[in-house]
Amino acid sequence: MNDNNKVSNKIADDLQPVSMYQMFARMFAHLAKEAVDEFGDKGAEAIKRGVWNFGVERGKGIAKRAFARGKPNDSDNYLISYDMDRSDEFESTDSYYEGYVEQVFSRCVFASEFQKMGMEQYGILYCEMIDPAIAYGYNPDLKCRHDKHFFTDNKCTFCFKLEKEKGAADE
């Protein structure tokens, strides 16, 4: 075959493609590392604020998705209105209860990439902030409890529960 006829955007059959999730995790870890190396705690706090703002924006979009389906932005409709498709690089079990949802991840490509790179200390800046921020953007009364993390527990656990803000008027 003439080299001039090669297709430039095709991955060779003998190479494993790198997913967008893997690329995102790698890019995030490198950006966070640079910010923390350069600015210390202030850099880490800036990264966390950026992740929070990103998450709130996503949560607002998820609320719009629930609304477009004619559903309230409550805990029952949170995960089914989610904006990120679950690839086979994630594995979770969702359990629905009266007023809350529990989610247990047994596989997460983000955590896996952070661990492969030895950059858990930077990845945790994403992991600790993103889900509470998305939940808040979706509904400020939807609280996210994130008790277990891959970096210490080999799984991530979440509980999403609607709670009234302190001082809110009773109905």
Side-chain angles (χ1 to χ4, degrees):
M1 179 203 280
N2 183 331
D3 282 345
N4 293 332
N5 294 330
K6 287 187 179 177
V7 177
S8 64
N9 63 350
K10 177 151 175 34
I11 296 173
D13 291 337
D14 61 338
L15 299 178
Q16 185 71 6
V18 178
S19 76
M20 291 305 296
Y21 299 114
Q22 291 169 303
M23 295 249 192
F24 171 84
R26 292 172 188 177
M27 179 184 71
F28 179 85
H30 284 287
L31 291 172
K33 181 181 184 318
E34 288 299 318
V36 171
D37 287 355
E38 182 76 20
F39 303 107
D41 289 343
K42 284 187 175 192
E45 290 304 314
I47 291 291
K48 288 165 60 172
R49 281 192 311 274
V51 171
W52 178 267
N53 292 334
F54 172 64
V56 169
E57 180 181 292
R58 283 186 57 202
K60 288 177 181 180
I62 295 167
K64 288 178 185 174
R65 292 167 61 95
F67 180 78
R69 295 173 53 245
K71 303 291 184 181
N73 60 338
D74 59 11
S75 59
D76 286 345
N77 292 294
Y78 177 60
L79 295 177
I80 62 173
S81 301
Y82 213 67
D83 63 343
M84 193 172 103
D85 197 19
R86 292 281 189 238
S87 80
D88 60 0
E89 294 178 279
F90 297 92
E91 189 172 286
S92 67
T93 303
D94 304 336
S95 301
Y96 288 80
Y97 302 97
E98 185 69 34
Y100 68 98
V101 178
E102 288 181 345
Q103 188 173 49
V104 177
F105 277 86
S106 55
R107 183 177 6 178
C108 173
V109 65
F110 297 145
S112 176
E113 287 301 310
F114 297 146
Q115 288 172 313
K116 280 189 228 173
M117 298 171 71
M119 295 180 111
E120 296 95 324
Q121 75 186 72
Y122 307 107
I124 198 72
L125 300 174
Y126 181 82
C127 296
E128 286 184 337
M129 299 301 291
I130 193 63
D131 289 285
I134 295 170
Y136 180 85
Y138 174 75
N139 182 332
D141 292 331
L142 186 66
K143 304 305 177 202
C144 172
R145 195 178 74 232
H146 187 184
D147 292 335
K148 295 186 188 255
H149 297 267
F150 276 103
F151 305 138
T152 54
D153 303 297
N154 260 355
K155 66 180 175 181
C156 271
T157 61
F158 299 92
C159 179
F160 300 99
K161 183 177 183 179
L162 274 179
E163 297 178 359
K164 285 190 173 190
E165 292 291 332
K166 289 183 178 147
D170 289 333
E171 294 180 18

